[in-house]
Structures are given as structure tokens and as C-alpha cells.
């Protein structure tokens, strides 16, 4: 199931019953940055797969309440971050939709993804796009089709780079929201579940493809 032309994995956004989420203003997003993964770093638990995710959690925990300046009017604000889970973890949480998880996605300005080898382009990535938040992800071998760094997604290369980019995009609202909008358009218009099946069978998505030019 991996390696189809839309991206490195066949994890499209299952959305046959999903109504598109309208882009919410920052006034309705009370968390500046979130990383939705269990906070195992506190006890040092988990496998080596968890190392990056645990480190991202630790950085976001340290960033909470850190001051930053907005570009809009120069107002000094305190960063509000969330690192952890709001619904059931692991297989139980993956197999059902929890309103608390959806709510947290919709409350975030920036959604950070820390992906595991061979799992790039997974559910958390696409869910972040659909929420309308700007998505930041660690380096990928191949971006899912249509995505471009600093146009529809922001790639961070290490924890220092991630931290710097969080502050930059929080301070540059217009640029951040433009990237979020483009990421949302690509996910909803090119990476739904039927697009995955059409790519496997016909070689490209065919149904309800939104603005094909953004993915060429």
C-alpha cells in the first residue's frame, strides 16, 4: 500500500462523510502550538521510535507561557502550548473519532507532527491540514503530492529549528495563515480516501479534485 504516486504512504484523509471545515480565525484558536502525542518523555518510557516525539513534547512544555511579539500590532503575548493526548491513545484512539481530539485540532494555530520512519504522511499529518492549522513536520524523504515547504507545510530539521519557526510563524500571522490555507486545500482536494483508491487503480485522482494546478 506504500509508494503510490500521491505520496509515500496510502494514508489519505478519510472524508467521504466529512463536511469541509471552514478556516477559523485566530480569535477562535486559543492554543498557539500543539503536539498531540502522549507525554511519555516524563518517565522515559517508550521505544526508540518515540525519541523525537518525546523531545518535541519536552520543547513545547518548556515553551508554554514564553513571551512573543505579534507582527500585526506589536503586542506582546504569551505563547500557549499543549503537548499530550486528549483522547484514548494507541489503537483504541485511532479507530474512533473523539470530539475532544477534533476540538483540540480546531483550537490550534500550529499543529506539529513528529513522524516515525516509514510512517511519513500518516493520519496526524492529514488531520492537521484538515483542521486548518498550519502544519509543521520533521524532514520527510518525500512530501505527499502537492505539498511544498513554506507554501503548504513547514519542515523543521531539528528542535532548535522547530522552536525558531514556531516563534517566526506566530509572529507572522498572514504568512502562517496562507500556508495553512494552502495545506487545507491540498488535503481536502487531493488526499481524501477516494483519491487514494483512484490513484491506485487509475494512476491519478479523478473525483472532485480541487484546483489540480496546485498539485503539479
Amino acid at each position: 500500500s506504500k509508494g503510490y504516486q500521491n505520496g509515500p504512504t496510502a494514508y489519505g484523509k478519510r472524508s467521504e462523510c466529512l463536511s469541509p471545515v471552514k478556516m477559523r480565525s485566530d480569535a477562535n484558536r486559543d492554543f498557539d502550538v500543539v503536539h498531540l502525542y502522549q507525554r511519555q518523555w516524563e518517565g522515559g518510557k517508550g521505544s526508540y521510535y518515540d525519541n523525537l516525539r518525546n523531545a518535541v513534547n519536552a520543547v513545547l512544555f518548556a515553551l508554554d507561557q514564553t513571551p512573543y511579539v505579534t507582527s500585526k500590532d506589536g503586542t506582546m503575548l504569551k505563547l500557549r502550548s499543549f503537548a499530550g493526548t486528549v483522547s484514548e491513545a494507541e489503537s483504541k484512539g485511532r479507530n474512533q473519532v473523539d470530539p475532544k481530539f477534533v476540538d483540540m485540532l480546531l483550537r490550534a494555530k500550529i499543529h506539529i507532527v513528529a513522524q516515525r520512519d516509514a510512517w511519513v504522511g500518516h493520519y496526524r499529518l492529514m488531520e492537521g491540514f484538515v483542521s486548518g492549522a498550519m502544519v509543521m513536520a520533521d524532514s520527510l524523504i518525500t512530501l505527499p503530492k502537492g505539498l511544498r515547504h513554506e507554501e503548504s507545510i513547514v519542515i523543521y530539521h531539528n528542535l532548535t529549528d522547530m522552536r525558531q519557526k514556531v516563534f517566526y510563524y506566530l509572529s507572522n500571522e498572514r504568512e502562517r495563515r496562507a500556508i495553512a490555507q494552502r495545506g487545507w486545500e491540498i488535503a481536502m482536494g487531493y488526499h481524501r480516501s477516494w483519491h487514494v483508491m483512484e490513484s491506485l487503480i487509475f494512476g491519478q485522482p479523478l473525483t472532485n479534485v480541487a484546483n489540480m494546478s496546485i498539485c503539479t
Side-chain angles (χ1 to χ4, degrees):
S1 63
K2 299 178 181 178
Y4 78 106
Q5 73 162 23
N6 267 21
T9 64
Y11 285 119
K13 186 67 228 148
R14 183 174 180 179
S15 54
E16 55 267 37
C17 299
L18 177 68
S19 297
V21 177
K22 293 183 179 179
M23 296 295 292
R24 307 175 92 194
S25 69
D26 279 1
N28 296 315
R29 295 181 182 272
D30 55 334
F31 280 98
D32 294 299
V33 55
V34 302
H35 177 232
L36 298 178
Y37 184 72
Q38 57 262 43
R39 290 169 60 174
Q40 293 178 330
W41 61 271
E42 292 176 322
K45 299 177 182 179
S47 70
Y48 70 91
Y49 288 126
D50 297 315
N51 290 343
L52 175 59
R53 293 168 171 177
N54 295 340
V56 170
N57 277 349
V59 170
L60 292 197
F61 182 78
L63 285 181
D64 193 50
Q65 299 302 307
T66 302
Y68 71 94
V69 178
T70 65
S71 60
K72 189 172 182 180
D73 54 12
T75 302
M76 180 73 73
L77 299 176
K78 288 188 176 180
L79 185 149
R80 190 179 183 200
S81 65
F82 178 86
T85 55
V86 292
S87 58
E88 294 286 347
E90 300 180 350
S91 59
K92 187 174 181 180
R94 296 189 198 104
N95 294 323
Q96 60 187 3
V97 177
D98 190 313
K100 295 189 294 294
F101 177 76
V102 176
D103 180 65
M104 180 56 74
L105 283 174
L106 294 174
R107 293 170 65 186
K109 298 173 185 174
I110 297 174
H111 176 65
I112 291 184
V113 177
Q115 301 173 106
R116 165 174 151 177
D117 290 346
W119 286 71
V120 294
H122 59 40
Y123 297 124
R124 296 296 86 81
L125 184 73
M126 292 298 170
E127 287 163 350
F129 289 126
V130 171
S131 75
M134 189 193 82
V135 176
M136 289 180 57
D138 54 313
S139 298
L140 306 178
I141 296 173
T142 304
L143 284 171
K145 188 162 179 75
L147 296 175
R148 295 187 178 90
H149 175 50
E150 296 183 339
E151 290 184 14
S152 48
I153 187 173
V154 173
I155 302 300
Y156 61 91
H157 301 285
N158 53 56
L159 296 176
T160 299
D161 186 43
M162 182 190 78
R163 188 180 188 279
Q164 292 172 344
K165 285 174 177 173
V166 165
F167 282 111
Y168 174 82
Y169 285 105
L170 285 177
S171 297
N172 291 273
E173 177 184 347
R174 181 176 297 180
E175 189 174 351
R176 169 171 49 80
R177 286 183 61 79
I179 293 172
Q181 176 72 42
R182 182 56 62 89
W184 180 89
E185 290 171 352
I186 292 171
M188 295 299 291
Y190 217 81
H191 288 281
R192 300 192 192 190
S193 52
W194 59 70
H195 294 141
V196 174
M197 294 304 300
E198 289 171 347
S199 294
L200 290 170
I201 297 170
F202 303 110
Q204 64 179 9
L206 301 174
T207 307
N208 297 334
V209 177
N211 192 4
M212 291 279 285
S213 64
I214 64 176
C215 294
T216 56

